[in-house]
PDB file of all heavy atoms in Angstrom:
ATOM      1  N   ALA A 399      -0.891 -16.855  21.888  1.00 94.00           N
ATOM      2  CA  ALA A 399      -0.602 -16.020  20.707  1.00 94.00           C
ATOM      3  C   ALA A 399       0.901 -15.937  20.483  1.00 94.00           C
ATOM      4  O   ALA A 399       1.360 -15.873  19.392  1.00 94.00           O
ATOM      5  CB  ALA A 399      -1.172 -14.570  20.805  1.00 94.00           C
ATOM      6  N   GLY A 400       1.664 -16.032  21.517  1.00 93.00           N
ATOM      7  CA  GLY A 400       3.166 -15.981  21.508  1.00 93.00           C
ATOM      8  C   GLY A 400       3.771 -17.156  20.781  1.00 93.00           C
ATOM      9  O   GLY A 400       4.902 -17.036  20.246  1.00 93.00           O
ATOM     10  N   THR A 401       3.035 -18.212  20.546  1.00 94.00           N
ATOM     11  CA  THR A 401       3.573 -19.400  19.923  1.00 94.00           C
ATOM     12  C   THR A 401       3.264 -19.423  18.392  1.00 94.00           C
ATOM     13  O   THR A 401       3.575 -20.328  17.702  1.00 94.00           O
ATOM     14  CB  THR A 401       3.010 -20.712  20.475  1.00 94.00           C
ATOM     15  OG1 THR A 401       1.627 -20.714  20.287  1.00 94.00           O
ATOM     16  CG2 THR A 401       3.303 -20.811  22.006  1.00 94.00           C
ATOM     17  N   LEU A 402       2.460 -18.334  17.890  1.00 91.00           N
ATOM     18  CA  LEU A 402       2.075 -18.402  16.485  1.00 91.00           C
ATOM     19  C   LEU A 402       3.324 -17.839  15.702  1.00 91.00           C
ATOM     20  O   LEU A 402       4.129 -17.057  16.034  1.00 91.00           O
ATOM     21  CB  LEU A 402       0.946 -17.346  16.277  1.00 91.00           C
ATOM     22  CG  LEU A 402      -0.439 -17.723  16.931  1.00 91.00           C
ATOM     23  CD1 LEU A 402      -1.325 -16.473  16.696  1.00 91.00           C
ATOM     24  CD2 LEU A 402      -0.983 -18.912  16.233  1.00 91.00           C
ATOM     25  N   SER A 403       3.291 -18.277  14.377  1.00 87.00           N
ATOM     26  CA  SER A 403       4.319 -17.820  13.438  1.00 87.00           C
ATOM     27  C   SER A 403       3.869 -16.467  12.981  1.00 87.00           C
ATOM     28  O   SER A 403       2.749 -15.994  13.264  1.00 87.00           O
ATOM     29  CB  SER A 403       4.372 -18.725  12.194  1.00 87.00           C
ATOM     30  OG  SER A 403       3.116 -18.646  11.500  1.00 87.00           O
ATOM     31  N   GLY A 404       4.734 -15.718  12.277  1.00 85.00           N
ATOM     32  CA  GLY A 404       4.512 -14.314  11.835  1.00 85.00           C
ATOM     33  C   GLY A 404       3.192 -14.186  11.109  1.00 85.00           C
ATOM     34  O   GLY A 404       2.335 -13.313  11.357  1.00 85.00           O
ATOM     35  N   GLY A 405       2.977 -15.124  10.136  1.00 87.00           N
ATOM     36  CA  GLY A 405       1.800 -15.121   9.307  1.00 87.00           C
ATOM     37  C   GLY A 405       0.487 -15.249  10.076  1.00 87.00           C
ATOM     38  O   GLY A 405      -0.462 -14.604   9.887  1.00 87.00           O
ATOM     39  N   TRP A 406       0.475 -16.119  11.067  1.00 90.00           N
ATOM     40  CA  TRP A 406      -0.695 -16.322  11.904  1.00 90.00           C
ATOM     41  C   TRP A 406      -0.867 -15.144  12.841  1.00 90.00           C
ATOM     42  O   TRP A 406      -2.040 -14.842  13.081  1.00 90.00           O
ATOM     43  CB  TRP A 406      -0.610 -17.639  12.667  1.00 90.00           C
ATOM     44  CG  TRP A 406      -0.778 -18.868  11.795  1.00 90.00           C
ATOM     45  CD1 TRP A 406       0.163 -19.692  11.291  1.00 90.00           C
ATOM     46  CD2 TRP A 406      -2.081 -19.443  11.263  1.00 90.00           C
ATOM     47  NE1 TRP A 406      -0.422 -20.634  10.524  1.00 90.00           N
ATOM     48  CE2 TRP A 406      -1.742 -20.539  10.459  1.00 90.00           C
ATOM     49  CE3 TRP A 406      -3.386 -18.997  11.371  1.00 90.00           C
ATOM     50  CZ2 TRP A 406      -2.717 -21.243   9.805  1.00 90.00           C
ATOM     51  CZ3 TRP A 406      -4.343 -19.801  10.753  1.00 90.00           C
ATOM     52  CH2 TRP A 406      -4.092 -20.836   9.969  1.00 90.00           C
ATOM     53  N   LYS A 407       0.141 -14.596  13.350  1.00 90.00           N
ATOM     54  CA  LYS A 407       0.036 -13.425  14.220  1.00 90.00           C
ATOM     55  C   LYS A 407      -0.745 -12.317  13.450  1.00 90.00           C
ATOM     56  O   LYS A 407      -1.561 -11.622  14.015  1.00 90.00           O
ATOM     57  CB  LYS A 407       1.327 -12.944  14.663  1.00 90.00           C
ATOM     58  CG  LYS A 407       1.871 -13.723  15.826  1.00 90.00           C
ATOM     59  CD  LYS A 407       3.166 -13.090  16.341  1.00 90.00           C
ATOM     60  CE  LYS A 407       3.738 -13.879  17.553  1.00 90.00           C
ATOM     61  NZ  LYS A 407       5.073 -13.773  17.774  1.00 90.00           N
ATOM     62  N   GLN A 408      -0.335 -12.264  12.165  1.00 89.00           N
ATOM     63  CA  GLN A 408      -0.863 -11.168  11.347  1.00 89.00           C
ATOM     64  C   GLN A 408      -2.397 -11.398  11.164  1.00 89.00           C
ATOM     65  O   GLN A 408      -3.172 -10.513  11.177  1.00 89.00           O
ATOM     66  CB  GLN A 408      -0.126 -11.314  10.066  1.00 89.00           C
ATOM     67  CG  GLN A 408      -0.108 -10.191   9.169  1.00 89.00           C
ATOM     68  CD  GLN A 408       0.434 -10.780   7.908  1.00 89.00           C
ATOM     69  OE1 GLN A 408       0.401 -11.958   7.570  1.00 89.00           O
ATOM     70  NE2 GLN A 408       1.042  -9.899   7.167  1.00 89.00           N
ATOM     71  N   ARG A 409      -2.761 -12.655  10.949  1.00 91.00           N
ATOM     72  CA  ARG A 409      -4.102 -12.977  10.803  1.00 91.00           C
ATOM     73  C   ARG A 409      -4.930 -12.724  12.029  1.00 91.00           C
ATOM     74  O   ARG A 409      -6.100 -12.217  11.974  1.00 91.00           O
ATOM     75  CB  ARG A 409      -4.228 -14.546  10.614  1.00 91.00           C
ATOM     76  CG  ARG A 409      -5.064 -14.989   9.444  1.00 91.00           C
ATOM     77  CD  ARG A 409      -4.666 -16.398   9.231  1.00 91.00           C
ATOM     78  NE  ARG A 409      -4.445 -16.543   7.775  1.00 91.00           N
ATOM     79  CZ  ARG A 409      -5.432 -16.910   7.000  1.00 91.00           C
ATOM     80  NH1 ARG A 409      -6.628 -17.265   7.397  1.00 91.00           N
ATOM     81  NH2 ARG A 409      -5.236 -16.916   5.707  1.00 91.00           N
ATOM     82  N   LEU A 410      -4.345 -12.937  13.255  1.00 94.00           N
ATOM     83  CA  LEU A 410      -5.004 -12.680  14.475  1.00 94.00           C
ATOM     84  C   LEU A 410      -5.166 -11.197  14.572  1.00 94.00           C
ATOM     85  O   LEU A 410      -6.210 -10.615  14.996  1.00 94.00           O
ATOM     86  CB  LEU A 410      -4.189 -13.195  15.676  1.00 94.00           C
ATOM     87  CG  LEU A 410      -4.615 -12.912  17.024  1.00 94.00           C
ATOM     88  CD1 LEU A 410      -6.075 -13.451  17.218  1.00 94.00           C
ATOM     89  CD2 LEU A 410      -3.713 -13.527  18.160  1.00 94.00           C
ATOM     90  N   ALA A 411      -4.100 -10.414  14.204  1.00 93.00           N
ATOM     91  CA  ALA A 411      -4.245  -8.902  14.268  1.00 93.00           C
ATOM     92  C   ALA A 411      -5.387  -8.405  13.390  1.00 93.00           C
ATOM     93  O   ALA A 411      -6.258  -7.587  13.747  1.00 93.00           O
ATOM     94  CB  ALA A 411      -2.889  -8.292  13.811  1.00 93.00           C
ATOM     95  N   LEU A 412      -5.537  -9.092  12.190  1.00 93.00           N
ATOM     96  CA  LEU A 412      -6.573  -8.653  11.210  1.00 93.00           C
ATOM     97  C   LEU A 412      -7.968  -9.039  11.936  1.00 93.00           C
ATOM     98  O   LEU A 412      -8.917  -8.123  11.853  1.00 93.00           O
ATOM     99  CB  LEU A 412      -6.348  -9.408   9.916  1.00 93.00           C
ATOM    100  CG  LEU A 412      -7.368  -9.109   8.872  1.00 93.00           C
ATOM    101  CD1 LEU A 412      -7.332  -7.573   8.465  1.00 93.00           C
ATOM    102  CD2 LEU A 412      -7.057  -9.943   7.573  1.00 93.00           C
ATOM    103  N   ALA A 413      -7.960 -10.170  12.478  1.00 94.00           N
ATOM    104  CA  ALA A 413      -9.321 -10.542  13.144  1.00 94.00           C
ATOM    105  C   ALA A 413      -9.637  -9.541  14.234  1.00 94.00           C
ATOM    106  O   ALA A 413     -10.776  -9.107  14.340  1.00 94.00           O
ATOM    107  CB  ALA A 413      -9.142 -11.918  13.810  1.00 94.00           C
ATOM    108  N   GLY A 414      -8.640  -9.016  14.992  1.00 94.00           N
ATOM    109  CA  GLY A 414      -8.900  -8.053  15.981  1.00 94.00           C
ATOM    110  C   GLY A 414      -9.425  -6.686  15.388  1.00 94.00           C
ATOM    111  O   GLY A 414     -10.218  -6.039  15.999  1.00 94.00           O
ATOM    112  N   CYS A 415      -8.911  -6.318  14.205  1.00 93.00           N
ATOM    113  CA  CYS A 415      -9.365  -5.115  13.534  1.00 93.00           C
ATOM    114  C   CYS A 415     -10.847  -5.243  13.081  1.00 93.00           C
ATOM    115  O   CYS A 415     -11.470  -4.292  12.759  1.00 93.00           O
ATOM    116  CB  CYS A 415      -8.502  -4.781  12.317  1.00 93.00           C
ATOM    117  SG  CYS A 415      -6.850  -4.547  12.712  1.00 93.00           S
ATOM    118  N   LEU A 416     -11.229  -6.446  12.847  1.00 93.00           N
ATOM    119  CA  LEU A 416     -12.541  -6.719  12.181  1.00 93.00           C
ATOM    120  C   LEU A 416     -13.651  -6.928  13.119  1.00 93.00           C
ATOM    121  O   LEU A 416     -14.789  -6.906  12.869  1.00 93.00           O
ATOM    122  CB  LEU A 416     -12.600  -7.957  11.206  1.00 93.00           C
ATOM    123  CG  LEU A 416     -11.647  -7.690  10.018  1.00 93.00           C
ATOM    124  CD1 LEU A 416     -11.416  -9.088   9.250  1.00 93.00           C
ATOM    125  CD2 LEU A 416     -12.235  -6.692   9.033  1.00 93.00           C
ATOM    126  N   LEU A 417     -13.246  -7.139  14.453  1.00 93.00           N
ATOM    127  CA  LEU A 417     -14.334  -7.396  15.542  1.00 93.00           C
ATOM    128  C   LEU A 417     -15.474  -6.497  15.490  1.00 93.00           C
ATOM    129  O   LEU A 417     -16.632  -6.901  15.709  1.00 93.00           O
ATOM    130  CB  LEU A 417     -13.660  -7.323  16.908  1.00 93.00           C
ATOM    131  CG  LEU A 417     -12.873  -8.581  17.461  1.00 93.00           C
ATOM    132  CD1 LEU A 417     -12.258  -8.330  18.720  1.00 93.00           C
ATOM    133  CD2 LEU A 417     -13.961  -9.748  17.584  1.00 93.00           C
ATOM    134  N   HIS A 418     -15.173  -5.202  15.456  1.00 90.00           N
ATOM    135  CA  HIS A 418     -16.304  -4.232  15.558  1.00 90.00           C
ATOM    136  C   HIS A 418     -17.007  -3.977  14.154  1.00 90.00           C
ATOM    137  O   HIS A 418     -17.612  -2.938  14.081  1.00 90.00           O
ATOM    138  CB  HIS A 418     -15.867  -3.015  16.235  1.00 90.00           C
ATOM    139  CG  HIS A 418     -14.753  -2.181  15.508  1.00 90.00           C
ATOM    140  ND1 HIS A 418     -13.512  -2.733  15.118  1.00 90.00           N
ATOM    141  CD2 HIS A 418     -14.827  -0.965  14.945  1.00 90.00           C
ATOM    142  CE1 HIS A 418     -12.845  -1.811  14.422  1.00 90.00           C
ATOM    143  NE2 HIS A 418     -13.515  -0.760  14.263  1.00 90.00           N
ATOM    144  N   LYS A 419     -16.797  -4.773  13.287  1.00 91.00           N
ATOM    145  CA  LYS A 419     -17.412  -4.698  11.950  1.00 91.00           C
ATOM    146  C   LYS A 419     -17.155  -3.376  11.194  1.00 91.00           C
ATOM    147  O   LYS A 419     -18.124  -2.663  10.862  1.00 91.00           O
ATOM    148  CB  LYS A 419     -18.934  -4.947  12.049  1.00 91.00           C
ATOM    149  CG  LYS A 419     -19.235  -6.340  12.638  1.00 91.00           C
ATOM    150  CD  LYS A 419     -19.683  -7.280  11.490  1.00 91.00           C
ATOM    151  CE  LYS A 419     -19.687  -8.640  11.892  1.00 91.00           C
ATOM    152  NZ  LYS A 419     -18.454  -9.425  11.636  1.00 91.00           N
ATOM    153  N   PRO A 420     -15.914  -3.038  11.052  1.00 94.00           N
ATOM    154  CA  PRO A 420     -15.660  -1.702  10.398  1.00 94.00           C
ATOM    155  C   PRO A 420     -16.068  -1.799   8.918  1.00 94.00           C
ATOM    156  O   PRO A 420     -16.056  -2.817   8.340  1.00 94.00           O
ATOM    157  CB  PRO A 420     -14.103  -1.572  10.471  1.00 94.00           C
ATOM    158  CG  PRO A 420     -13.557  -2.942  10.603  1.00 94.00           C
ATOM    159  CD  PRO A 420     -14.659  -3.675  11.337  1.00 94.00           C
TER     160      PRO A 420
END
Side-chain angles (χ1 to χ4, degrees):
T401 64
L402 292 173
S403 68
W406 285 102
K407 278 188 179 153
Q408 202 190 22
R409 228 165 227 267
L410 177 57
L412 184 59
C415 296
L416 293 170
L417 270 176
H418 64 297
K419 300 260 165 263

